[in-house]
Amino acid sequence: QVQLVESGGGLVQPGGSLRLSCEASVILFRYGTLGWYRQAPGKERELVADITTFGMPTYADFVKGRFTISRDSASNTVNLQMNTLAPEDTAVYFCHANHYSGTFWGQGTQVTVSS
């Protein structure tokens, strides 16, 4: 079964931190580039960060230095550590897998940055 299951969203104050996790099915974790996208109300979905099977990360310019993506092979999980969050980071965050058999999405998790 191919699936991506996200967790870790919520409400945080500006300047705070959140950690998002996405548990992937084994076939996606082992052979796919995994990443996070986000979509704010009225805006298009955009790439936040992704990481290859070799552990090579790519970051959008707007998160460099604040967010860190990582892979945990023990739990087939891709994590996104988000620090110094700002109101403009408010969005639904989606886990994404780019695999040779197709592209897959998680159900999304809401991140709200507000005082």
Side-chain angles (χ1 to χ4, degrees):
Q1 184 178 2
V2 177
Q3 64 177 6
L4 299 166
V5 180
E6 301 122 330
S7 61
L11 173 65
V12 64
Q13 293 187 343
S17 298
L18 278 176
R19 183 179 178 88
L20 304 182
S21 294
C22 174
E23 184 175 356
S25 53
V26 173
I27 192 171
L28 292 183
F29 187 86
R30 288 185 178 177
Y31 303 110
T33 292
L34 301 173
W36 291 91
Y37 282 69
R38 71 184 187 186
Q39 188 167 20
K43 295 188 177 181
E44 293 186 355
R45 194 171 295 189
E46 59 185 356
L47 174 69
V48 176
D50 65 20
I51 186 166
T52 69
T53 55
F54 299 103
M56 185 68 67
T58 300
Y59 295 98
D61 286 343
F62 56 77
V63 301
K64 284 183 179 178
R66 299 190 299 131
F67 294 8
T68 302
I69 191 169
S70 62
R71 297 170 67 106
D72 182 350
S73 59
S75 59
N76 297 330
T77 299
V78 58
N79 300 305
L80 185 67
Q81 178 66 41
M82 306 186 294
N83 298 327
T84 319
L85 285 161
E88 51 266 34
D89 294 315
T90 295
V92 178
Y93 284 70
F94 295 90
C95 185
H96 173 264
N98 189 17
H99 187 259
Y100 61 80
S101 65
T103 299
F104 302 90
W105 295 93
Q107 79 281 3
T109 184
Q110 177 70 45
V111 171
T112 302
V113 185
S114 175
S115 56

